[in-house]
Amino acid sequence: MHAGRIRRFVILSSVFTFAPLAGAQIGTQQAEVIEISVDTGVHANPFSVSDVVAEQIVDFGDVAWFRLIFDDVSLSPGSYLRITSLADGAVQHLDAQSIADSGNTSAYFNGSLAKIELIAGPNTQGNVVRGGSAQVSAPPLPAPESICDGVDERVVDDADGFARMVALNLSGPCSATIVTEEGCMFSAGHCVNILGIAQFNVPLSSQFGFMQHPPPSDQYFVNQSSIVDSSPDVIGNDYASFSCFPNSETNLTVVEAEGIFYPMVAQIPPDGTTLRITGFGAVLGGGPTDNAQQTDTGLLVDANESQNRVDHTVDTTGGSSGSGIIIEATGEFLGIHTHGGCNVSPFFNSGTLFTHPDLQPGVICCDTGPPILQQPQSTTACAGGSTSFSIEIDSENPTYQWFFNGFAIPNATGPTFAINIVTAGAAGNYTCLVGDPCPTLSETATLTVDPPPTILVQPQSLDGCIGSPAELSITLDGEGPFTYQWRLNNVDIPGANGPTLTIDPISKESFGVYRCVVGDDCGVGNSNAAILSPADPFEIVGQPLDTQASMGGSIFLAVGILGNDVSYQWRREGTLIPGETGSFLFLSDAQCGDAGQYDVIVSNVCMEETSLAATVIVTGCAGLGAGDGDGDNDIDIYDFRSFFDCVTGPTGQADPECAVFDFDNDNDVDLTDYAEFEIAFTG
């Protein structure tokens, strides 16, 4: 059994201090984590084309570069996150798979401003991105050098196949080299915590030595489950092998994109062989070449197969750890540079020789994980219900670890992962990392959670009248189809199976408490109670009474009702009187035109009744010349005699010539008219 460690997960930390071994050459670029606020909200896209549903600009302050760290990402199939640096326009697209590959992080971007866009795929829902922090640049520290002849002879280089390694716990960088046709890469074991992203085609740093990053199309997330590394990390036993996921922008592997790899040499060459190391070491004093790609040649001092150690005189500095030691003449891989020593006796640098048993095919990169016979399947489950995901592999000694949205689920280490009670928070992407012992990551299975039906509009209580119709209704939110069952006093109403219940006509048995039981495939629920009550009847118990008023006086009429919730409308001579809608009528400053027949219409939801008519007399309205029987414009003794000649008694009909004495216009000259005559008498 080999001594290497197979790394199954990496826990990200916000603590970025790292103490390398004596002579180990990790770079001294620094970083810090700052809190940010990114929250797109949860979005659906009901349309047949993709749509930008959320956008946010994030300002990181005075920094040279940044990398985003998301707390929660859920992307339906066809949805993705688009991140753009507003400094140089570099763009990265992350879908559910690539965001899981990255551990809910982005690539590295230059500048201090980012635009984050959430693009929802056609006919999708539940898309959300929430972020809590970002890794940003901090001033680099001076780096130790290991210059073998006193003069740093490294030069800037753009050869393919060499990567700068960076990670969230950056106290680096380190270097790495593509070694196999399948894309397996080698670096130093003491760099294992820096193996987060492999960057190719790295640009020069800023004038102050801050790293500058290539576009996301040249950055590859390391498959953390593929890492095999050494323990303890000492010269001759200091190595890490790993592979990378395809690029999030191009979907190319590192070999497809770089077009080269450096195969391991078949036998140890003689001492004195010219070697080349290409890496990303620091430069004393910083500047544009600091941790940019540089190369130098030197000589093989010794290759000790028994110790799996190689010594050489190629110039290296902090950040060179993990660089491939390449035979200049053949381009073959001889070992991994890990330690500097040219600045101290015996004045050579060192690394791990290719002969180490854990650098051999079948061990490196864990690229021979067990085949998956049955992938986990996407499913839809009801909130409050249960569901499960399963995987089947071809292995005698399998291991399993289930992940939710890229994060390991505690104790989910079997071929089936069951969710006994499904909640809305369980919606998302599930994968399983299987091993034997090298791991294979499954395809992504998405869980969609359907809630039980939600009542948007409850049925409302109302009053009804026997013989009249009534209607109750309910409105639901959800996909449906829905079921309905209306109930009266907790008893099902036969045939009442729709969103609206019509009661026509209302009978005595119709009154009571109504509810609607609603349901769909995800459960049932009860509406609020709606009470149908009989409307109160009423009775007119006090009719308006006849009354009279003198001109300029007041008129008062009233009606007495036994009952509640009634309305009133007074009329004169059958015509509605605007605004007179109370139980009494009061008119001030009575005029002749106010005389007549008055009644009131009383009603509620069930009935309407009109009162008896009341006669209103306005005295002093007999007309011009009232009481002047002889027409001499003087009501005197002669008119007095004429008045009594016209008196007809209580049942008589006045002669037309006597109308002048009919003060109250009742077609009858009687004692009532005499009272008015006395007032008008002038003598």
Side-chain angles (χ1 to χ4, degrees):
M1 179 175 179
H2 63 78
R5 294 174 294 169
I6 299 171
R7 302 178 62 85
R8 305 202 185 281
F9 345 97
V10 171
I11 299 175
L12 304 180
S13 170
S14 59
V15 179
F16 298 121
T17 58
F18 183 85
L21 301 172
Q25 290 192 303
I26 292 177
T28 54
Q29 290 281 336
Q30 300 296 299
E32 60 180 331
V33 168
I34 61 174
E35 297 300 314
I36 62 172
S37 178
V38 175
D39 190 346
T40 64
V42 181
H43 290 276
N45 178 12
F47 305 108
S48 59
V49 295
S50 297
D51 186 30
V52 178
V53 294
E55 177 181 318
Q56 184 172 343
I57 303 296
V58 180
D59 186 348
F60 302 98
D62 186 17
V63 301
W65 51 261
F66 61 87
R67 181 182 182 186
L68 292 162
I69 306 168
F70 300 107
D71 291 336
D72 179 23
V73 180
S74 181
L75 298 172
S76 298
S79 301
Y80 59 93
L81 187 62
R82 182 165 60 205
I83 305 168
T84 305
S85 165
L86 299 185
D88 57 15
V91 179
Q92 184 177 33
H93 302 78
L94 295 169
D95 58 14
Q97 186 61 60
S98 54
I99 197 71
D101 294 344
S102 72
N104 278 17
T105 65
S106 72
Y108 286 89
F109 291 88
N110 300 315
S112 61
L113 288 172
K115 180 166 73 171
I116 302 172
E117 298 169 281
L118 176 60
I119 293 86
N123 303 305
T124 59
Q125 58 184 350
N127 299 292
V128 62
V129 176
R130 297 187 179 96
S133 57
Q135 182 192 22
V136 297
S137 62
L141 300 175
E145 295 188 332
S146 183
I147 306 304
C148 292
D149 56 6
V151 178
D152 188 352
E153 296 176 333
R154 294 173 302 156
V155 295
V156 174
D157 179 64
D158 62 357
D160 294 325
F162 302 104
R164 182 172 70 187
M165 304 306 301
V166 288
L168 286 178
N169 51 348
L170 178 65
S171 182
C174 282
S175 303
T177 306
I178 305 174
V179 178
T180 72
E181 188 175 8
E182 294 75 25
C184 186
M185 301 180 67
F186 284 174
S187 187
H190 65 258
C191 290
V192 68
N193 289 324
I194 304 173
L195 304 182
I197 290 180
Q199 297 181 328
F200 295 89
N201 303 311
V202 172
L204 294 176
S205 298
S206 73
Q207 61 177 323
F208 302 108
F210 287 101
M211 290 191 304
Q212 294 292 286
H213 299 281
S217 57
D218 285 319
Q219 300 187 50
Y220 297 78
F221 294 118
V222 172
N223 181 353
Q224 298 295 312
S225 66
S226 72
I227 298 175
V228 179
D229 69 307
S230 52
S231 178
D233 298 323
V234 296
I235 297 175
N237 189 60
D238 191 346
Y239 62 86
S241 65
F242 61 92
S243 60
C244 296
F245 292 111
N247 184 265
S248 64
E249 303 305 296
T250 66
N251 203 37
L252 297 177
T253 66
V254 292
V255 172
E256 290 170 337
E258 292 295 291
I260 193 172
F261 66 95
Y262 297 88
M264 284 192 286
V265 67
Q267 59 184 12
I268 298 174
D271 295 348
T273 298
T274 300
L275 306 176
R276 178 176 293 277
I277 291 180
T278 301
F280 298 86
V283 173
L284 185 64
T289 58
D290 195 27
N291 295 125
Q293 183 169 319
Q294 300 179 78
T295 190
D296 184 34
T297 58
L299 301 178
L300 172 63
V301 175
D302 181 49
N304 189 322
E305 185 173 0
S306 64
Q307 297 180 3
N308 299 311
R309 172 177 177 151
V310 57
D311 301 319
H312 63 85
T313 62
V314 185
D315 289 340
T316 58
T317 62
S320 298
S321 280
S323 300
I325 303 172
I326 307 299
I327 298 173
E328 175 74 352
T330 63
E332 294 173 300
F333 177 88
L334 179 64
I336 303 167
H337 168 73
T338 60
H339 290 72
C342 277
N343 55 333
V344 295
S345 178
F347 306 109
F348 52 74
N349 297 324
S350 302
T352 301
L353 191 64
F354 77 96
T355 55
H356 195 292
D358 286 352
L359 298 184
Q360 308 311 309
V363 178
I364 57 173
C365 290
C366 272
D367 53 4
T368 56
I372 297 177
L373 303 179
Q374 178 63 53
Q375 298 280 357
Q377 301 297 305
S378 296
T379 186
T380 298
C382 298
S386 62
T387 191
S388 63
F389 295 97
S390 296
I391 190 170
E392 182 182 351
I393 65 174
D394 184 8
S395 171
E396 294 182 359
N397 300 291
T399 60
Y400 304 87
Q401 176 60 59
W402 288 90
F403 290 80
F404 173 59
N405 288 339
F407 292 94
I409 303 171
N411 302 316
T413 54
T416 298
F417 172 62
I419 305 174
N420 296 324
I421 300 177
V422 175
T423 64
N429 299 315
Y430 292 80
T431 53
C432 187
L433 188 67
V434 294
D436 181 25
C438 293
T440 301
L441 187 65
S442 75
E443 296 176 359
T444 298
T446 300
L447 173 61
T448 302
V449 178
D450 282 348
T454 300
I455 300 175
L456 293 181
V457 180
Q458 296 278 357
Q460 302 298 308
S461 296
L462 51 86
D463 294 338
C465 306
I466 292 177
S468 300
E471 186 174 277
L472 299 170
S473 63
I474 189 170
T475 303
L476 304 182
D477 180 32
E479 295 294 327
F482 302 115
T483 61
Y484 304 84
Q485 178 59 65
W486 289 91
R487 313 189 81 199
L488 171 59
N489 297 328
N490 294 321
V491 177
D492 291 349
I493 303 172
N497 305 117
T500 299
L501 173 65
T502 300
I503 307 164
D504 188 14
I506 295 174
S507 66
K508 182 179 179 180
E509 290 74 22
S510 302
F511 299 115
V513 179
Y514 288 81
R515 283 187 173 87
C516 188
V517 181
V518 296
D520 63 7
D521 291 340
C522 285
V524 297
N526 287 296
S527 74
N528 293 343
I531 300 174
L532 177 60
S533 303
D536 290 337
F538 67 87
E539 180 183 0
I540 297 178
V541 295
Q543 298 287 348
L545 302 176
D546 296 344
T547 188
Q548 67 177 23
S550 60
M551 287 187 61
S554 60
I555 299 170
F556 180 82
L557 297 171
V559 66
I561 299 298
L562 181 61
N564 299 309
D565 299 324
V566 297
S567 59
Y568 304 86
Q569 178 60 62
W570 288 88
R571 301 187 304 176
R572 177 183 175 277
E573 303 293 345
T575 301
L576 302 181
I577 304 174
E580 297 299 337
T581 56
S583 61
F584 62 87
L585 171 68
F586 179 79
L587 301 176
S588 62
D589 191 22
Q591 300 297 312
C592 296
D594 294 328
Q597 300 292 307
Y598 286 77
D599 60 23
V600 60
I601 301 172
V602 185
S603 63
N604 68 6
V605 295
C606 289
M607 60 183 292
E608 179 178 289
E609 188 173 344
T610 303
S611 73
L612 299 178
T615 300
V616 174
I617 297 172
V618 180
T619 59
C621 293
L624 293 176
D628 187 10
D630 55 9
D632 63 355
N633 201 31
D634 180 19
I635 301 174
D636 50 20
I637 192 64
Y638 301 104
D639 299 305
F640 187 82
R641 292 173 183 160
S642 297
F643 176 86
F644 280 99
D645 289 341
C646 288
V647 172
T648 60
T651 59
Q653 295 293 319
D655 187 282
E657 294 181 0
C658 293
V660 70
F661 300 116
D662 186 10
F663 283 87
D664 57 9
N665 297 306
D666 64 351
N667 202 31
D668 182 16
V669 180
D670 49 22
L671 292 179
T672 301
D673 300 308
Y674 178 70
E676 293 294 322
F677 181 80
E678 278 192 315
I679 296 172
F681 184 75
T682 58

